[in-house]
């Protein structure tokens, strides 16, 4: 994607009528525009987390969440500067099924067995220490979202917690030996 030109007003997303680099096809849950390119680590850490405001994040120029529309003005509000973002109509807003919310994330490289603690998330993964064990061989990122997202995956066979957890494997081994155990808060599985 080319650099986005914010100098033109209005700026369009999904209707690149001014060749601004905003030709996007898909669904959008929120938009954040920074004054720098995010690193791979920043993308991994932020991808499931939202903020209540945009003031505290370094380099954040624009932050729009599409979950609260003003029906009279047909707009949502940008959280850094407070300006209105006009939408073509209420019918374009759908309840989000994205697993996002306020919370914390922690990433660490896992290349060996034993206990791996993901600081601040309340998650400990216990990998087997046998010589035949296969490990992720790279980075795992744990996100703890609280409160729970609006929609949860099929939870018929899961136990209920006050938080929602996402574990992403970015290691070179897409599959690895089953964990000896998993500890989430006080629950040891």
């Amino acid at each position: 994607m080319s650099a986005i030109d914010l100098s033109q007003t209005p700026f369009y997303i999904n209707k690149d009528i001014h060749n601004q680099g905003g030709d996007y096809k898909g669904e959008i849950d929120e938009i954040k525009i920074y004054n720098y390119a995010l690193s791979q680590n920043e993308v991994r850490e932020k991808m499931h987390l939202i903020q209540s405001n945009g003031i505290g994040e370094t380099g954040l120029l624009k932050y729009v969440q599409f979950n609260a529309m003003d029906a009279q003005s047909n707009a949502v509000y940008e959280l850094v500067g407070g300006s209105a973002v006009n939408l073509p109509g209420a019918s374009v807003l759908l309840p989000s099924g994205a697993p996002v919310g306020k919370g914390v994330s922690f990433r660490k490289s896992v290349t060996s067995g034993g206990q791996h603690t993901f600081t601040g998330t309340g998650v400990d993964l216990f990998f087997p220490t046998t010589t035949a064990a296969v490990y992720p061989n790279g980075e795992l990122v744990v996100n703890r979202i609280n409160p729970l997202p609006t929609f949860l995956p099929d939870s018929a066979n899961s136990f209920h917690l006050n938080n929602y957890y996402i574990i992403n494997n970015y290691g070179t081994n897409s599959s690895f030996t089953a964990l000896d155990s998993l500890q989430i808060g006080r629950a040891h599985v």
Side-chain angles (χ1 to χ4, degrees):
M1 184 170 157
S2 60
I4 295 175
D5 179 7
L6 294 175
S7 65
Q8 296 183 38
T9 303
F11 176 75
Y12 293 91
I13 293 178
N14 205 27
K15 284 186 95 175
D16 198 19
I17 62 174
H18 296 297
N19 296 319
Q20 295 169 300
D23 188 19
Y24 176 79
K25 293 173 179 45
E27 294 179 355
I28 299 173
D29 193 67
E30 70 176 23
I31 295 173
K32 286 184 174 183
I33 299 175
Y34 293 84
N35 63 4
Y36 69 98
L38 295 177
S39 69
Q40 175 177 286
N41 290 339
E42 287 174 308
V43 171
R44 289 177 179 176
E45 291 171 358
K46 296 172 188 257
M47 68 187 296
H48 294 288
L49 302 180
I50 63 170
Q51 298 171 236
S52 57
N53 67 55
I55 305 299
E57 190 171 345
T58 303
L60 187 61
L61 298 175
K62 302 286 181 188
Y63 184 29
V64 181
Q65 296 174 336
F66 294 98
N67 54 0
M69 188 172 105
D70 181 344
Q72 290 183 347
S73 66
N74 217 29
V76 294
Y77 290 89
E78 189 274 315
L79 298 176
V80 175
S83 59
V85 176
N86 295 317
L87 302 174
S91 62
V92 299
L93 292 181
L94 303 170
S96 174
V100 296
K102 296 177 185 174
V104 296
S105 66
F106 189 83
R107 61 184 165 80
K108 93 180 273 187
S109 182
V110 177
T111 58
S112 64
Q115 180 178 356
H116 291 271
T117 300
F118 291 81
T119 305
T121 66
V123 172
D124 288 280
L125 303 178
F126 296 83
F127 286 86
T129 56
T130 61
T131 56
V134 176
Y135 307 113
N137 196 32
E139 193 169 79
L140 293 181
V141 178
V142 173
N143 289 278
R144 183 190 76 210
I145 299 174
N146 48 323
L148 297 174
T150 305
F151 297 101
L152 296 173
D154 180 12
S155 58
N157 297 321
S158 66
F159 58 96
H160 296 281
L161 301 166
N162 294 328
N163 301 304
Y164 184 78
Y165 297 85
I166 300 169
I167 302 173
N168 287 309
N169 174 15
Y170 298 105
T172 57
N173 294 325
S174 60
S175 60
F176 47 85
T177 304
L179 297 172
D180 282 342
S181 66
L182 161 72
Q183 184 170 340
I184 300 177
R186 294 185 184 142
H188 202 96
V189 183

